Amino acid sequence: MVEMVREVLENSFVEQYYNQAHSIIPQVNQEDDPKYNEKKELIKECQEIVGTTHSEKPPLNIAIIGLPGGGKSSLLNTIFASFSTDRWKDVVQFGSFGTLDKQFTTRFKSFTKDVYYKPTDTYLMPTFLDMTGFEDDDSANTLALLELVFAGKIRENEELTRAKKFGFNYFIRMGVCHRPVDRIIVVCTSNPNVNLPTSFFNAVWKAKKKHTEIPVYGVMTFRDKYPPDNERVKVKIEEFRMCLALPQYRFAHIINYCDDIDSRGVHITTTIPSLDVPVLHFMKQVLNPRQDDPRKKHDRKMDILSIFAFIFAVLAFIYVLLISNR
Ligand SMILES: Nc1nc2c(ncn2[C@@H]2O[C@H](COP(=O)(O)OP(=O)(O)O)[C@@H](O)[C@H]2O)c(=O)[nH]1
Ligand SMILES: [Mg+2]
């Protein structure tokens, strides 16, 4: 028993929030789910962590990256459903990674709280960037694209493939269009028959290093089909965590909302708290404030004011010196 708990925790801290049989039974009424109350508590905790607009802070910018088919868009819809006690919604288009258009177009789309959260409250829920179309390479182009996105120098819906042709200058001319990224979540399937995109991870690692160490988190999806007690899945998880140097609290192996776990389609009208609870525990870690998070706008104003005051004091001092030497 002790051995099992240890192994399970070695994988990811969210293990303890899934039942060991890997079974999720969607309830027609979310209140009937055994995790309903825990979900409501966790939503409150996340709201307290992010604070409200009164703090004058900007919301965090969280980039979701990975290769096509890894479950990025589904993860976003799952996160949005976990923040809601209404129902799951397909806010982000998912499952279209196989089409020609998506495969060859690299772009990102941002999802602010206005599109996925209650418009009526003032909590600073984060902005998510869903990025599509990366390939498993760590070429100079991929690195340049990632750096531009992390630095906030890319336009929404801009086709990133164009940067491959024109290089850095193209985007520098276009100017800064959104805030820099505060957190990176790398998403990947736990299907052991799909290779880990290690070259891409390498590029992510190099690109994030240039931006004052943006914290990287990792999510593995398809836990329902490829559970962590499968030996090959275990190996894949270990490699994934090693590639991105992910400690337990920055890694989660999760199940997304999908037809495979809800064949009756219950989630069209409600949420599934048993799916949400592990995701909310993970999001709590992601949202936790850090020293390098964007500061209050007020503080920035104060900074500028104090620089002016300092310059003024130095000039006044020089002036007094000059006068007294005459
Ligand atoms: N069974 C299962 N299917 C999933 C899971 N996550 C995503 N999918 C499915 O995998 C496919 C690709 O997901 P998508 O979110 O579009 O991946 P993306 O290309 O990384 O954005 C979709 O058909 C999803 O329904 C999961 O955790 N379990
Ligand atoms: Mg997608």
Side-chain angles (χ1 to χ4, degrees), residues 296-307:
K296 284 182 182 174
K297 281 180 201 156
H298 180 66
D299 283 351
R300 274 197 202 139
K301 265 189 229 148
M302 278 307 291
D303 277 353
I304 294 167
L305 275 183
S306 36
I307 289 169

Side-chain angles (χ1 to χ4, degrees), residues 263-305:
S263 52
R264 288 185 299 159
V266 163
H267 63 286
I268 308 292
T269 54
T270 187
T271 72
I272 308 172
S274 289
L275 282 186
D276 302 325
V277 161
V279 173
L280 284 167
H281 276 287
F282 176 71
M283 285 314 294
K284 251 177 70 183
Q285 296 298 324
V286 175
L287 297 174
N288 265 336
R290 294 171 48 94
Q291 284 252 299
D292 35 21
D293 280 341
R295 284 178 299 159
K296 284 182 182 174
K297 281 180 201 156
H298 180 66
D299 283 351
R300 274 197 202 139
K301 265 189 229 148
M302 278 307 291
D303 277 353
I304 294 167
L305 275 183

Side-chain angles (χ1 to χ4, degrees), residues 67-74 94-95 97 221-222 224 255-256 258 260:
L67 259 55
K72 295 181 297 299
S73 307
S74 308
F94 61 99
F97 58 92
T221 53
F222 284 85
D224 51 321
I255 307 174
N256 277 322
C258 58
D260 289 338

